[in-house]
Amino acid sequence: MRFSDRAAAGLLLGECLRLAIGHSYPERTVVTALPRGGVAVGAGVARCLGVPLEVLVTRKIGHPDEPEVGLGAIAEGGDPVFDPRMLDQVRLLPDDLAGVVASERAELTRRVAVYRGGLPPPDFAGRHVIVVDDGLATGVTARAALRAVRAGMPARLTLAVPVASASAVEAMKAETGGVVTLVTPRRFRSVGEWYAEFGQLTDSDVLTLLAALR
């Protein structure tokens, strides 16, 4: 299966969740998407389920010299989460990334201000929170997000993504009671290869999607 774009993937994922959840929604269910790409998927899920769409801002922690190499992640309200295997490969310790963490935390704070516009963070207590992203590669960003949501004492926590590596799905089982994915390919190279259209979203795109479904 290859998705035409994030919106189409979100509708398919939403239908899968609707069947899996049954009648336990929508009163206490909320879709919480990871920006930016995850918000386009989350919008489709929220529309399908008829529930609100919220956002949980996360940032990748990259290598100081090669930012595209992800070594960890941070989510709003949570502590940095690192990938021990990757740290071993590049021979770095978490303390070596203090500067990168500070920079990413500053950008996280900026995005929270833009996406929320002064609104308080969503209240997850006692709710079924469905965390949505556009895909799962190593799982470190999802792990940071799930731990931040779990601190809010949800009644139920589900991670939902259109496509994921098998190793990441297995790793996420220790973080949440439910992982829902449409495709778990044997040969996984990147999230983007499973979308015909995988362009970058802007802050404006995120705000438009949130305004329609909050």
Side-chain angles (χ1 to χ4, degrees):
M1 179 184 292
R2 193 164 183 251
F3 309 108
S4 57
D5 56 20
R6 292 182 178 93
L11 292 174
L12 290 171
L13 186 60
E15 180 62 20
C16 180
L17 283 162
R18 187 182 67 81
L19 295 173
I21 294 171
H23 298 289
S24 63
Y25 72 91
E27 184 177 353
R28 298 296 294 167
T29 298
V30 59
V31 171
T32 302
L34 309 187
R36 296 187 178 109
V39 177
V41 178
V45 173
R47 286 192 179 97
C48 188
L49 297 181
V51 302
L53 175 66
E54 290 290 351
V55 64
L56 182 76
V57 183
T58 57
R59 293 292 296 169
K60 181 177 73 175
I61 299 171
H63 191 288
D65 300 321
E66 300 178 75
E68 70 279 3
V69 177
L71 304 178
I74 186 169
E76 57 176 303
D79 296 321
V81 174
F82 297 99
D83 185 331
R85 182 181 60 83
M86 289 298 298
L87 288 178
D88 286 343
Q89 285 185 13
V90 299
R91 298 182 180 180
L92 289 175
L93 298 172
D95 287 349
D96 298 324
L97 301 171
V100 177
V101 171
S103 176
E104 295 300 343
R105 195 185 290 277
E107 174 60 15
L108 185 151
T109 300
R110 183 197 73 81
R111 291 195 183 193
V112 168
V114 170
Y115 300 157
R116 290 244 163 76
L119 294 173
D123 181 10
F124 297 134
R127 306 182 77 178
H128 178 192
V129 181
I130 302 174
V131 175
V132 176
D133 203 357
D134 54 15
L136 198 63
T138 66
V140 68
T141 301
R143 180 177 286 111
L146 291 168
R147 290 181 182 181
V149 172
R150 202 162 61 231
M153 302 298 289
R156 183 177 176 187
L157 180 57
T158 299
L159 173 65
V161 294
V163 60
S165 67
S167 59
V169 169
E170 188 63 30
M172 290 306 100
K173 290 179 181 178
E175 303 290 341
T176 178
V179 180
V180 176
T181 182
L182 300 177
V183 183
T184 308
R186 291 182 179 180
R187 297 181 181 180
F188 183 96
R189 290 178 296 182
S190 69
V191 171
E193 70 176 323
W194 295 93
Y195 289 85
E197 168 58 41
F198 197 66
Q200 295 297 312
L201 274 69
T202 66
D203 286 346
S204 179
D205 294 328
V206 172
L207 289 172
T208 298
L209 291 167
L210 290 173
L213 290 160
R214 268 183 169 153

